[in-house]
C-alpha cells in the first residue's frame, strides 16, 4: 500500500512541476529568461535548447539579451525566436540579440489567463487520473488478499488527501500566474 501512495504522490508532484514549467513559458509583461526555455536552435546539426547555446540575461524589466557562445549562431537564434509563439521581434547587432518585451494589451492578457486556466485544469485532470489509477491499484491489492478492506479504505482516504493537496497547489499556482499576467 505504501508503494502505491508513494508512486501516486511522486506522479502528482511531477504534474505540478510540469504546470510550473508550462507557466514559465507563458509570456507576461515582464522579461524573463524562462520565456526562451522551449526554443531550440540547430547547433552543429543537433536541435539544442537555446539556454545551452547562449547566455540569456535580463538587464532591464522589459529587455532580454541573448549572447551566443558561437557568433555564427546569431541568425539561427533569430529565426528560432521569430518562429516561436512569443510574438517578439529580435534585434541582431552582430554580437548579441536584444529583445524588447512590449507591454501586453488587455485583450492579450485575458487570452493568456485563459491559456493558464486551461493548463491548470489539465494538471488537475492529470492529478485526478493519478488518484483513479492509485485507487484501482489498491482495489487489486485488496482483492488479491494482501491488504484488508479497512486498509484499502485508509489508503483511498490518503490518496484523496494527496489529491486535494495537489489540486489546491495547482490552484495557487494559477492564482499567482493570473496576478502576474494581469499586473500592468
Amino acid at each position: 500500500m505504501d508503494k502505491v501512495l508513494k508512486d501516486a504522490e511522486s506522479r502528482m508532484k511531477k504534474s505540478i512541476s510540469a504546470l510550473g514549467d508550462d507557466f514559465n513559458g507563458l509570456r507576461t509583461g515582464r522579461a524573463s529568461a524562462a520565456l526562451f526555455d522551449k526554443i531550440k536552435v540547430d547547433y552543429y546539426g543537433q536541435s539544442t535548447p537555446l539556454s545551452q547555446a547562449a547566455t540569456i540575461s535580463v538587464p532591464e524589466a522589459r529587455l532580454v539579451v541573448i549572447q551566443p557562445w558561437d557568433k555564427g549562431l546569431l541568425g539561427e537564434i533569430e529565426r528560432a525566436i521569430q518562429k516561436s509563439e512569443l510574438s517578439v521581434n529580435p534585434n541582431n547587432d552582430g554580437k548579441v540579440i536584444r529583445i524588447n518585451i512590449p507591454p501586453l494589451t488587455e485583450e492579450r492578457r485575458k487570452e493568456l489567463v485563459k491559456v493558464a486556466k486551461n493548463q491548470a485544469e489539465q494538471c488537475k485532470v492529470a492529478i485526478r487520473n493519478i488518484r483513479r489509477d492509485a485507487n484501482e491499484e489498491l482495489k487489486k491489492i485488496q482483492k488479491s488478499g494482501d491488504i484488508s478492506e479497512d486498509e484499502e479504505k485508509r489508503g483511498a482516504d490518503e490518496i484523496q488527501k494527496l489529491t486535494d493537496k495537489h489540486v489546491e497547489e495547482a490552484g495557487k499556482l494559477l492564482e499567482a500566474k493570473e496576478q502576474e499576467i494581469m499586473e500592468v
Side-chain angles (χ1 to χ4, degrees), residues 97-158:
I97 293 176
R98 286 185 176 76
I99 301 166
N100 286 313
I101 305 293
L104 297 170
T105 64
E106 188 67 24
E107 186 179 318
R108 182 69 179 136
R109 288 177 198 277
K110 287 177 181 170
E111 284 175 28
L112 288 172
V113 167
K114 281 183 191 172
V115 169
K117 284 181 179 178
N118 187 18
Q119 290 173 336
E121 191 53 42
Q122 287 174 351
C123 176
K124 290 176 185 178
V125 167
I127 290 168
R128 291 183 195 112
N129 287 339
I130 295 166
R131 173 188 61 193
R132 185 197 61 223
D133 294 346
N135 284 336
E136 285 173 3
E137 189 65 31
L138 283 177
K139 282 186 176 86
K140 280 183 198 169
I141 294 171
Q142 193 262 324
K143 280 185 180 159
S144 71
D146 292 339
I147 61 172
S148 69
E149 231 176 274
D150 288 345
E151 286 176 309
E152 188 243 335
K153 269 277 187 252
R154 267 196 303 279
D157 289 345
E158 285 297 313

Side-chain angles (χ1 to χ4, degrees), residues 153-169:
K153 269 277 187 252
R154 267 196 303 279
D157 289 345
E158 285 297 313
I159 289 168
Q160 185 59 49
K161 286 178 189 169
L162 281 175
T163 303
D164 293 344
K165 177 182 138 193
H166 287 87
V167 164
E168 184 181 334
E169 199 173 327

Side-chain angles (χ1 to χ4, degrees), residues 60-75:
E60 297 171 24
R62 295 197 186 276
L63 179 69
V64 177
V65 176
I66 300 173
Q67 187 167 17
W69 297 320
D70 177 354
K71 299 284 185 241
L73 276 178
L74 280 167

Side-chain angles (χ1 to χ4, degrees), residues 5 19 24 35 41 56 75 91-92 112 118 122 131 182:
L5 287 170
L19 178 64
N24 282 341
L35 288 173
V41 293
I56 303 171
N91 297 322
N92 179 349
L112 288 172
N118 187 18
Q122 287 174 351
R131 173 188 61 193
M182 293 310 285

